[in-house]
Amino acid sequence: MSDPWQECLEHCVEVATQAGKVIREGLKSDIAVMHKSSQVDLVTETDQRVERLIISSIKAKFPTHSFIGEESVAAGAPSVLTDDPTWIIDPIDGTTNFVHGFPFVCVSIGFTVKKQNSAWCTVASRTKCTQRAKARAPTATAFPSRSPGRKDPQRFDAMMANLRSVLTIPVHGIRSPGSAAVNMCLVASGAADAYYHAGIHCWDMAGGAAVVTEAGGVVTDVSGGPFDLMSRRLIAASSRAVAERLARHITEFHVGRDDADGS
Ligand code: IPD
């Protein structure tokens, strides 16, 4: 993205650094855990505080910009992507990790203009995808728990079947650090060749997708088709060949959209 947005990038890095400090402080104190849509959908006071900090700081600098934030949406704000300059924020990507002191958490901030994800990122400028034609490094995904009362048992079975299928490609292994943005930074840095997930949200994908693209990787839908930020599904891979191969091993299942009912 060209110069007009340079100021946005600089402010983004500044506010993300402040947010990181708040998260590190939060890890040192007792963490009160609250639940959102289910017993495994966790949120803490630190998630909410960090999101308020990021939004108020960006709003003060860019009052006409729009926002989609994980905790604001959980509190009832709309989740609609427009052509406006829009900040898409996950204050703590890896909240479950944060709660348990499992040391992979990050702040994820994406920025879109006319619905296009920004193509610049300071992390990305220091990283490079492997661009291998076959997946050699581990592939990453998420393993959400099948908690009692969780809506869709078929979805759980489909996820497990996909895992089995991907393991037969073959790949060197599967890793799951528990944060979508961390997974995508692992692809961008070459430590993983691919990451796939169906069921995440735009705030989990927006920042990381830009990092992967900027590092020379590709982001697609789990079908192998074009990536759609509001679709709740993605493959992030070191090369198109790896993304296409992975897509052939994934059976799609319904996850809804972020700009529909959010379910
Ligand atoms: C979660 C993480 C996790 C993924 C979940 C996300 P959150 O984000 O990215 O890796 O499996 O689907 O909800 O809730 O910690 O911001």
Side-chain angles (χ1 to χ4, degrees), residues 41-42 70 90 92-96 142-144 178-181 183 195 197 199-201 203-204:
D41 188 7
L42 312 181
E70 176 173 16
D90 189 341
I92 302 181
D93 188 19
T95 299
T96 304
F143 302 108
S179 160
N183 278 319
Y195 165 60
H197 196 161
I200 46 174
H201 294 277
W203 45 82
D204 300 309

PDB file of all heavy atoms in Angstrom, residues 41-42 70 90 92-96 142-144 178-181 183 195 197 199-201 203-204, ligand 1:
ATOM      1  N   ASP A  41     -15.500 -20.681  25.095  1.00  0.00           N
ATOM      2  CA  ASP A  41     -15.289 -19.405  24.401  1.00  0.00           C
ATOM      3  C   ASP A  41     -14.962 -18.364  25.487  1.00  0.00           C
ATOM      4  O   ASP A  41     -15.851 -17.792  26.105  1.00  0.00           O
ATOM      5  CB  ASP A  41     -16.566 -19.038  23.633  1.00  0.00           C
ATOM      6  CG  ASP A  41     -16.369 -17.840  22.730  1.00  0.00           C
ATOM      7  OD1 ASP A  41     -15.219 -17.370  22.593  1.00  0.00           O
ATOM      8  OD2 ASP A  41     -17.379 -17.365  22.157  1.00  0.00           O
ATOM      9  N   LEU A  42     -13.660 -18.186  25.728  1.00  0.00           N
ATOM     10  CA  LEU A  42     -13.232 -17.419  26.911  1.00  0.00           C
ATOM     11  C   LEU A  42     -12.930 -15.960  26.583  1.00  0.00           C
ATOM     12  O   LEU A  42     -12.530 -15.630  25.474  1.00  0.00           O
ATOM     13  CB  LEU A  42     -11.973 -18.064  27.509  1.00  0.00           C
ATOM     14  CG  LEU A  42     -12.003 -19.582  27.728  1.00  0.00           C
ATOM     15  CD1 LEU A  42     -10.689 -20.051  28.358  1.00  0.00           C
ATOM     16  CD2 LEU A  42     -13.189 -20.013  28.572  1.00  0.00           C
ATOM     17  N   GLU A  70     -13.105  -7.998  18.004  1.00  0.00           N
ATOM     18  CA  GLU A  70     -13.684  -9.228  18.553  1.00  0.00           C
ATOM     19  C   GLU A  70     -14.593  -8.957  19.743  1.00  0.00           C
ATOM     20  O   GLU A  70     -15.725  -9.425  19.794  1.00  0.00           O
ATOM     21  CB  GLU A  70     -12.565 -10.203  18.971  1.00  0.00           C
ATOM     22  CG  GLU A  70     -13.135 -11.450  19.641  1.00  0.00           C
ATOM     23  CD  GLU A  70     -12.108 -12.524  19.931  1.00  0.00           C
ATOM     24  OE1 GLU A  70     -10.892 -12.236  19.912  1.00  0.00           O
ATOM     25  OE2 GLU A  70     -12.537 -13.668  20.175  1.00  0.00           O
ATOM     26  N   ASP A  90      -8.097  -8.184  16.850  1.00  0.00           N
ATOM     27  CA  ASP A  90      -8.192  -9.227  17.872  1.00  0.00           C
ATOM     28  C   ASP A  90      -7.236  -8.815  18.990  1.00  0.00           C
ATOM     29  O   ASP A  90      -6.018  -8.886  18.838  1.00  0.00           O
ATOM     30  CB  ASP A  90      -7.794 -10.593  17.297  1.00  0.00           C
ATOM     31  CG  ASP A  90      -8.103 -11.723  18.271  1.00  0.00           C
ATOM     32  OD1 ASP A  90      -8.278 -11.433  19.473  1.00  0.00           O
ATOM     33  OD2 ASP A  90      -8.173 -12.877  17.828  1.00  0.00           O
ATOM     34  N   ILE A  92      -6.416 -10.044  21.953  1.00  0.00           N
ATOM     35  CA  ILE A  92      -5.520 -11.153  22.335  1.00  0.00           C
ATOM     36  C   ILE A  92      -5.891 -12.334  21.459  1.00  0.00           C
ATOM     37  O   ILE A  92      -6.964 -12.939  21.641  1.00  0.00           O
ATOM     38  CB  ILE A  92      -5.665 -11.562  23.822  1.00  0.00           C
ATOM     39  CG1 ILE A  92      -5.402 -10.385  24.755  1.00  0.00           C
ATOM     40  CG2 ILE A  92      -4.703 -12.715  24.136  1.00  0.00           C
ATOM     41  CD1 ILE A  92      -5.506 -10.735  26.250  1.00  0.00           C
ATOM     42  N   ASP A  93      -5.069 -12.637  20.489  1.00  0.00           N
ATOM     43  CA  ASP A  93      -5.325 -13.833  19.687  1.00  0.00           C
ATOM     44  C   ASP A  93      -4.598 -14.970  20.394  1.00  0.00           C
ATOM     45  O   ASP A  93      -3.367 -15.017  20.407  1.00  0.00           O
ATOM     46  CB  ASP A  93      -4.828 -13.640  18.249  1.00  0.00           C
ATOM     47  CG  ASP A  93      -5.267 -14.809  17.367  1.00  0.00           C
ATOM     48  OD1 ASP A  93      -6.214 -15.524  17.761  1.00  0.00           O
ATOM     49  OD2 ASP A  93      -4.663 -15.010  16.310  1.00  0.00           O
ATOM     50  N   GLY A  94      -5.416 -15.856  20.983  1.00  0.00           N
ATOM     51  CA  GLY A  94      -4.870 -16.899  21.849  1.00  0.00           C
ATOM     52  C   GLY A  94      -5.337 -16.663  23.277  1.00  0.00           C
ATOM     53  O   GLY A  94      -4.571 -16.834  24.224  1.00  0.00           O
ATOM     54  N   THR A  95      -6.603 -16.291  23.425  1.00  0.00           N
ATOM     55  CA  THR A  95      -7.117 -16.005  24.780  1.00  0.00           C
ATOM     56  C   THR A  95      -7.022 -17.238  25.686  1.00  0.00           C
ATOM     57  O   THR A  95      -6.671 -17.125  26.866  1.00  0.00           O
ATOM     58  CB  THR A  95      -8.575 -15.499  24.706  1.00  0.00           C
ATOM     59  OG1 THR A  95      -8.584 -14.298  23.942  1.00  0.00           O
ATOM     60  CG2 THR A  95      -9.157 -15.217  26.079  1.00  0.00           C
ATOM     61  N   THR A  96      -7.306 -18.407  25.137  1.00  0.00           N
ATOM     62  CA  THR A  96      -7.227 -19.625  25.963  1.00  0.00           C
ATOM     63  C   THR A  96      -5.790 -19.828  26.445  1.00  0.00           C
ATOM     64  O   THR A  96      -5.548 -20.181  27.604  1.00  0.00           O
ATOM     65  CB  THR A  96      -7.721 -20.849  25.160  1.00  0.00           C
ATOM     66  OG1 THR A  96      -9.045 -20.571  24.703  1.00  0.00           O
ATOM     67  CG2 THR A  96      -7.735 -22.113  26.010  1.00  0.00           C
ATOM     68  N   ALA A 142      -6.054 -25.812  14.011  1.00  0.00           N
ATOM     69  CA  ALA A 142      -6.543 -25.620  15.382  1.00  0.00           C
ATOM     70  C   ALA A 142      -7.324 -26.855  15.786  1.00  0.00           C
ATOM     71  O   ALA A 142      -7.893 -27.542  14.944  1.00  0.00           O
ATOM     72  CB  ALA A 142      -7.438 -24.395  15.434  1.00  0.00           C
ATOM     73  N   PHE A 143      -7.337 -27.131  17.070  1.00  0.00           N
ATOM     74  CA  PHE A 143      -8.089 -28.271  17.587  1.00  0.00           C
ATOM     75  C   PHE A 143      -9.102 -27.774  18.612  1.00  0.00           C
ATOM     76  O   PHE A 143      -8.872 -27.892  19.822  1.00  0.00           O
ATOM     77  CB  PHE A 143      -7.150 -29.280  18.255  1.00  0.00           C
ATOM     78  CG  PHE A 143      -6.082 -29.812  17.349  1.00  0.00           C
ATOM     79  CD1 PHE A 143      -4.763 -29.425  17.503  1.00  0.00           C
ATOM     80  CD2 PHE A 143      -6.397 -30.703  16.339  1.00  0.00           C
ATOM     81  CE1 PHE A 143      -3.775 -29.918  16.667  1.00  0.00           C
ATOM     82  CE2 PHE A 143      -5.416 -31.208  15.493  1.00  0.00           C
ATOM     83  CZ  PHE A 143      -4.100 -30.811  15.654  1.00  0.00           C
ATOM     84  N   PRO A 144     -10.232 -27.238  18.158  1.00  0.00           N
ATOM     85  CA  PRO A 144     -11.219 -26.781  19.135  1.00  0.00           C
ATOM     86  C   PRO A 144     -11.814 -27.977  19.869  1.00  0.00           C
ATOM     87  O   PRO A 144     -11.956 -29.053  19.290  1.00  0.00           O
ATOM     88  CB  PRO A 144     -12.289 -26.104  18.275  1.00  0.00           C
ATOM     89  CG  PRO A 144     -11.773 -26.085  16.895  1.00  0.00           C
ATOM     90  CD  PRO A 144     -10.666 -27.074  16.788  1.00  0.00           C
ATOM     91  N   GLY A 178      -2.356 -22.536  18.973  1.00  0.00           N
ATOM     92  CA  GLY A 178      -3.510 -21.953  19.640  1.00  0.00           C
ATOM     93  C   GLY A 178      -3.753 -20.476  19.383  1.00  0.00           C
ATOM     94  O   GLY A 178      -4.486 -19.828  20.125  1.00  0.00           O
ATOM     95  N   SER A 179      -3.136 -19.947  18.342  1.00  0.00           N
ATOM     96  CA  SER A 179      -3.404 -18.565  17.947  1.00  0.00           C
ATOM     97  C   SER A 179      -3.289 -18.506  16.425  1.00  0.00           C
ATOM     98  O   SER A 179      -2.249 -18.845  15.859  1.00  0.00           O
ATOM     99  CB  SER A 179      -2.383 -17.620  18.591  1.00  0.00           C
ATOM    100  OG  SER A 179      -2.331 -16.395  17.876  1.00  0.00           O
ATOM    101  N   ALA A 180      -4.362 -18.072  15.780  1.00  0.00           N
ATOM    102  CA  ALA A 180      -4.373 -18.054  14.312  1.00  0.00           C
ATOM    103  C   ALA A 180      -3.264 -17.155  13.766  1.00  0.00           C
ATOM    104  O   ALA A 180      -2.566 -17.510  12.814  1.00  0.00           O
ATOM    105  CB  ALA A 180      -5.737 -17.569  13.829  1.00  0.00           C
ATOM    106  N   ALA A 181      -3.092 -15.998  14.375  1.00  0.00           N
ATOM    107  CA  ALA A 181      -2.076 -15.060  13.865  1.00  0.00           C
ATOM    108  C   ALA A 181      -0.669 -15.620  14.048  1.00  0.00           C
ATOM    109  O   ALA A 181       0.191 -15.464  13.179  1.00  0.00           O
ATOM    110  CB  ALA A 181      -2.221 -13.702  14.546  1.00  0.00           C
ATOM    111  N   ASN A 183       0.033 -18.811  14.046  1.00  0.00           N
ATOM    112  CA  ASN A 183       0.135 -19.831  12.993  1.00  0.00           C
ATOM    113  C   ASN A 183       0.560 -19.200  11.665  1.00  0.00           C
ATOM    114  O   ASN A 183       1.424 -19.723  10.950  1.00  0.00           O
ATOM    115  CB  ASN A 183      -1.211 -20.524  12.783  1.00  0.00           C
ATOM    116  CG  ASN A 183      -1.463 -21.624  13.805  1.00  0.00           C
ATOM    117  OD1 ASN A 183      -0.564 -22.378  14.136  1.00  0.00           O
ATOM    118  ND2 ASN A 183      -2.676 -21.702  14.311  1.00  0.00           N
ATOM    119  N   TYR A 195      -1.138 -23.473   6.972  1.00  0.00           N
ATOM    120  CA  TYR A 195      -2.079 -23.411   8.096  1.00  0.00           C
ATOM    121  C   TYR A 195      -3.469 -23.441   7.482  1.00  0.00           C
ATOM    122  O   TYR A 195      -3.720 -22.752   6.490  1.00  0.00           O
ATOM    123  CB  TYR A 195      -1.850 -22.109   8.877  1.00  0.00           C
ATOM    124  CG  TYR A 195      -2.965 -21.738   9.832  1.00  0.00           C
ATOM    125  CD1 TYR A 195      -3.331 -22.581  10.876  1.00  0.00           C
ATOM    126  CD2 TYR A 195      -3.650 -20.525   9.700  1.00  0.00           C
ATOM    127  CE1 TYR A 195      -4.348 -22.242  11.750  1.00  0.00           C
ATOM    128  CE2 TYR A 195      -4.661 -20.175  10.578  1.00  0.00           C
ATOM    129  CZ  TYR A 195      -5.015 -21.029  11.598  1.00  0.00           C
ATOM    130  OH  TYR A 195      -6.021 -20.688  12.459  1.00  0.00           O
ATOM    131  N   HIS A 197      -7.827 -23.597   8.504  1.00  0.00           N
ATOM    132  CA  HIS A 197      -8.810 -23.520   9.575  1.00  0.00           C
ATOM    133  C   HIS A 197     -10.159 -23.120   8.980  1.00  0.00           C
ATOM    134  O   HIS A 197     -10.239 -22.221   8.165  1.00  0.00           O
ATOM    135  CB  HIS A 197      -8.370 -22.473  10.610  1.00  0.00           C
ATOM    136  CG  HIS A 197      -9.089 -22.584  11.925  1.00  0.00           C
ATOM    137  ND1 HIS A 197      -8.604 -22.022  13.073  1.00  0.00           N
ATOM    138  CD2 HIS A 197     -10.247 -23.193  12.275  1.00  0.00           C
ATOM    139  CE1 HIS A 197      -9.431 -22.272  14.077  1.00  0.00           C
ATOM    140  NE2 HIS A 197     -10.441 -22.985  13.602  1.00  0.00           N
ATOM    141  N   GLY A 199     -13.807 -21.967  10.636  1.00  0.00           N
ATOM    142  CA  GLY A 199     -14.508 -21.682  11.893  1.00  0.00           C
ATOM    143  C   GLY A 199     -13.895 -20.528  12.670  1.00  0.00           C
ATOM    144  O   GLY A 199     -14.347 -20.237  13.773  1.00  0.00           O
ATOM    145  N   ILE A 200     -12.854 -19.910  12.133  1.00  0.00           N
ATOM    146  CA  ILE A 200     -12.312 -18.728  12.820  1.00  0.00           C
ATOM    147  C   ILE A 200     -13.030 -17.467  12.327  1.00  0.00           C
ATOM    148  O   ILE A 200     -13.970 -17.541  11.552  1.00  0.00           O
ATOM    149  CB  ILE A 200     -10.782 -18.560  12.655  1.00  0.00           C
ATOM    150  CG1 ILE A 200     -10.357 -18.757  11.217  1.00  0.00           C
ATOM    151  CG2 ILE A 200     -10.049 -19.471  13.591  1.00  0.00           C
ATOM    152  CD1 ILE A 200      -8.881 -18.459  11.006  1.00  0.00           C
ATOM    153  N   HIS A 201     -12.552 -16.315  12.759  1.00  0.00           N
ATOM    154  CA  HIS A 201     -13.249 -15.062  12.443  1.00  0.00           C
ATOM    155  C   HIS A 201     -12.311 -14.091  11.736  1.00  0.00           C
ATOM    156  O   HIS A 201     -11.092 -14.264  11.743  1.00  0.00           O
ATOM    157  CB  HIS A 201     -13.769 -14.433  13.742  1.00  0.00           C
ATOM    158  CG  HIS A 201     -14.836 -15.249  14.389  1.00  0.00           C
ATOM    159  ND1 HIS A 201     -16.163 -15.185  14.012  1.00  0.00           N
ATOM    160  CD2 HIS A 201     -14.765 -16.183  15.373  1.00  0.00           C
ATOM    161  CE1 HIS A 201     -16.878 -16.039  14.748  1.00  0.00           C
ATOM    162  NE2 HIS A 201     -16.047 -16.647  15.581  1.00  0.00           N
ATOM    163  N   TRP A 203     -11.280 -11.248  12.604  1.00  0.00           N
ATOM    164  CA  TRP A 203     -10.246 -10.635  13.467  1.00  0.00           C
ATOM    165  C   TRP A 203      -9.100 -11.616  13.724  1.00  0.00           C
ATOM    166  O   TRP A 203      -8.008 -11.186  14.062  1.00  0.00           O
ATOM    167  CB  TRP A 203     -10.845 -10.140  14.784  1.00  0.00           C
ATOM    168  CG  TRP A 203     -11.787 -11.102  15.441  1.00  0.00           C
ATOM    169  CD1 TRP A 203     -11.472 -12.171  16.224  1.00  0.00           C
ATOM    170  CD2 TRP A 203     -13.224 -11.076  15.353  1.00  0.00           C
ATOM    171  NE1 TRP A 203     -12.613 -12.821  16.626  1.00  0.00           N
ATOM    172  CE2 TRP A 203     -13.702 -12.174  16.117  1.00  0.00           C
ATOM    173  CE3 TRP A 203     -14.147 -10.238  14.707  1.00  0.00           C
ATOM    174  CZ2 TRP A 203     -15.065 -12.453  16.245  1.00  0.00           C
ATOM    175  CZ3 TRP A 203     -15.495 -10.516  14.845  1.00  0.00           C
ATOM    176  CH2 TRP A 203     -15.945 -11.604  15.604  1.00  0.00           C
ATOM    177  N   ASP A 204      -9.353 -12.934  13.570  1.00  0.00           N
ATOM    178  CA  ASP A 204      -8.255 -13.900  13.698  1.00  0.00           C
ATOM    179  C   ASP A 204      -7.410 -13.929  12.418  1.00  0.00           C
ATOM    180  O   ASP A 204      -6.254 -14.349  12.445  1.00  0.00           O
ATOM    181  CB  ASP A 204      -8.789 -15.326  13.912  1.00  0.00           C
ATOM    182  CG  ASP A 204      -9.646 -15.470  15.159  1.00  0.00           C
ATOM    183  OD1 ASP A 204      -9.185 -15.051  16.229  1.00  0.00           O
ATOM    184  OD2 ASP A 204     -10.771 -16.004  15.062  1.00  0.00           O
TER     185      ASP A 204
HETATM  186  C1  IPD B   1      -8.744 -18.115  18.698  1.00  0.00           C
HETATM  187  C2  IPD B   1      -7.378 -18.569  18.214  1.00  0.00           C
HETATM  188  C3  IPD B   1      -7.358 -20.066  17.995  1.00  0.00           C
HETATM  189  C4  IPD B   1      -8.459 -20.515  17.071  1.00  0.00           C
HETATM  190  C5  IPD B   1      -9.822 -20.033  17.563  1.00  0.00           C
HETATM  191  C6  IPD B   1      -9.800 -18.520  17.716  1.00  0.00           C
HETATM  192  P1  IPD B   1      -9.075 -15.934  20.210  1.00  0.00           P
HETATM  193  O1  IPD B   1      -8.772 -16.695  18.797  1.00  0.00           O
HETATM  194  O2  IPD B   1      -7.010 -17.911  17.024  1.00  0.00           O
HETATM  195  O3  IPD B   1      -6.155 -20.476  17.394  1.00  0.00           O
HETATM  196  O4  IPD B   1      -8.477 -21.918  17.062  1.00  0.00           O
HETATM  197  O5  IPD B   1     -10.792 -20.407  16.626  1.00  0.00           O
HETATM  198  O6  IPD B   1     -11.063 -18.107  18.191  1.00  0.00           O
HETATM  199  O7  IPD B   1     -10.471 -16.305  20.631  1.00  0.00           O
HETATM  200  O8  IPD B   1      -8.060 -16.409  21.179  1.00  0.00           O
HETATM  201  O9  IPD B   1      -8.956 -14.507  19.858  1.00  0.00           O
END
